[in-house]
Amino acid sequence: MSAASPAAGPAPRISVVICVHTEDRWDDILAAVASVDGQSHPAHELLVVVDHHPALLARLREHFEGAHAGAPASRAPATPVRIMANSGPQGLSAGRNTGVAVAGGEIVAFLDDDAVAERDWLCHFAAAYADPAVMAVGGRTEPVWASGRRPAWFPEEFDWVVGCTYRGLPPGRVRVRNVLGGNASFRRVAFDLVGGFAVGIGRDAGRRPLGCEETELCIRISRSLPDAVLLIDDRSVIHHRVPAARERFGYFRSRAYAEGLSKALVTRSVGARDGLSAERRYTTRVLPVGVLRGVRDALLRRPGGAGRAGAIVAGVTAAAAGYAWGTARARRARRARANSSERGGVDRPADGTAAGAAPEREGAAV
């Protein structure tokens, strides 16, 4: 369903948040900052949130504060840059919430630290928010493969595995259930109304790479504001680096399994009807067509056809296994809490969230 473009209003101020966690991405971080600084719709401010890494925090502050204090002009961004520490628990969700809490713009946009935005990225976001009903706008994320090209076996239907837009999403500016977090924006007021990203779902350095915190947030927005419009505009483009380690089948399978675990957490919070609504269409329509396309390519002796078909089957199987395990674990946790309550014990689930509630809120993929 395409969204109509209303009459233009005052251009909104957009605060951009980039969450960072490792010095290994130093050059990527500087490239991401430079891409924000070069926007045709200038950002109101750029907030770089460092996830419990004191050395990186100090290095970034020295770099950017030094630039503004008289270092060569080529180093100094025109956009105001603020470097801050994640004020919550370790992990991407708390880092984003830290940025949201101090953002001064009416819109808060998020960019991955290993991605660069095209010049009109914020321009298209800003245009969509001329409609006051719009509460979130996402964009298109293109992979930049470390090897220089997509692995022949890697199906486009699973590009969400590497944080990118996948085959099956409709083109243009369209309404969606949820945006994808590495290339997304929200009205600041939405966070005031429904809270921040749920801690306990998203990524955390050193743990299995979970996700879906954007999905859970978007569902909460839609439930609290039934007239809210959430969009993806595929003209808002970023280019996301895919390191060599993520081009391997082992990562593909592990990430698909983690997605299943994440979906189990989301459905625990918002219910299966909303938590799996988009996934039903994806698994019953998009993926079967992908398998048939791969089989066809294999019969025509095109490179990677059989591998892509097999990878889709393997990815679905891994995600289903993760979902089943996550659901079973949640049921066991609920039984344990019930038994603890009967004995007068403390009613806390294993992941540290309040029993019977969504995961703690400080401040999709598919």
Side-chain angles (χ1 to χ4, degrees):
M1 176 179 177
S2 296
S5 297
R13 297 177 303 165
I14 303 180
S15 299
V16 178
V17 176
I18 299 177
C19 296
V20 304
H21 68 280
T22 175
E23 290 187 87
D24 294 341
R25 292 184 179 178
W26 179 257
D27 291 338
D28 293 329
I29 294 168
L30 298 187
V33 169
S35 74
V36 173
D37 193 45
Q39 291 294 300
S40 59
H41 178 101
H44 172 65
E45 61 187 345
L46 175 56
L47 309 172
V48 180
V49 182
V50 182
D51 192 16
H52 297 268
H53 194 311
L56 177 58
L57 179 68
R59 186 179 180 186
L60 285 167
R61 282 178 170 165
E62 179 181 6
H63 180 88
F64 288 106
E65 291 174 6
H68 284 293
S74 59
R75 284 184 56 192
T79 304
V81 179
R82 298 171 62 186
I83 311 299
M84 63 195 67
N86 176 3
S87 61
Q90 187 173 22
L92 181 57
S93 289
R96 287 173 172 165
N97 291 340
T98 297
V100 169
V102 301
E106 296 85 19
I107 310 300
V108 183
F110 299 94
L111 179 67
D112 277 347
D113 64 345
D114 53 356
V116 294
E118 292 191 359
R119 177 172 169 75
D120 291 332
W121 177 58
L122 293 182
C123 179
H124 295 299
F125 280 173
Y129 285 107
D131 181 351
V134 172
M135 288 291 139
V137 185
R140 186 172 85 248
T141 302
E142 297 287 351
V144 180
W145 303 95
S147 61
R149 60 185 299 179
R150 172 186 297 275
W153 62 268
F154 202 114
E156 292 182 24
E157 291 83 358
F158 273 77
D159 276 4
W160 55 262
V161 164
V162 291
C164 296
T165 301
Y166 56 93
R167 176 178 282 176
L169 287 176
R173 184 195 285 183
V174 294
R175 293 187 68 163
V176 291
R177 180 195 65 183
N178 63 276
V179 297
L180 305 180
N183 179 7
S185 62
F186 298 84
R187 282 197 193 274
R188 179 67 177 76
V189 69
F191 295 104
D192 296 333
L193 292 171
V194 307
F197 292 94
V199 175
I201 295 179
R203 286 175 177 265
D204 180 0
R207 294 172 51 193
R208 185 180 295 277
L210 302 181
C212 298
E213 64 273 23
E214 310 89 17
T215 301
E216 195 271 348
L217 173 63
C218 288
I219 292 172
R220 273 192 280 130
I221 291 173
S222 296
R223 284 184 169 183
S224 298
L225 302 168
D227 294 330
V229 175
L230 285 68
L231 301 173
I232 284 182
D233 188 335
D234 66 4
R235 298 171 299 174
S236 291
V237 181
I238 70 170
H239 300 269
H240 185 270
R241 189 174 66 83
V242 182
R246 297 187 181 184
E247 296 185 14
R248 299 169 184 161
F249 181 73
Y251 179 84
F252 175 93
R253 183 177 55 193
S254 174
R255 182 65 186 85
Y257 180 82
E259 185 75 6
L261 288 175
S262 299
K263 283 294 186 294
L265 289 173
V266 170
T267 57
R268 172 189 169 192
S269 173
V270 302
R273 186 185 67 177
D274 290 335
L276 298 177
S277 59
E279 288 72 18
R280 292 188 183 96
R281 176 188 174 276
Y282 173 74
T283 55
T284 59
R285 299 183 185 182
V286 175
L287 295 185
V289 172
V291 172
L292 291 175
R293 187 182 298 112
V295 171
R296 179 202 64 189
D297 289 347
L299 293 175
L300 294 175
R301 298 186 178 181
R302 294 173 180 169
R308 289 190 295 275
I312 290 174
V313 173
V316 171
T317 302
Y323 181 80
W325 172 248
T327 301
R329 186 172 60 182
R331 288 173 179 167
R332 288 198 301 270
R334 283 197 298 269
R335 287 196 296 268
R337 291 198 302 272
N339 293 336
S340 177
S341 296
E342 290 175 359
R343 295 192 301 268
V346 177
D347 190 10
R348 298 286 294 180
D351 63 7
T353 61
E360 179 183 0
R361 293 159 193 165
E362 297 284 330
V366 294

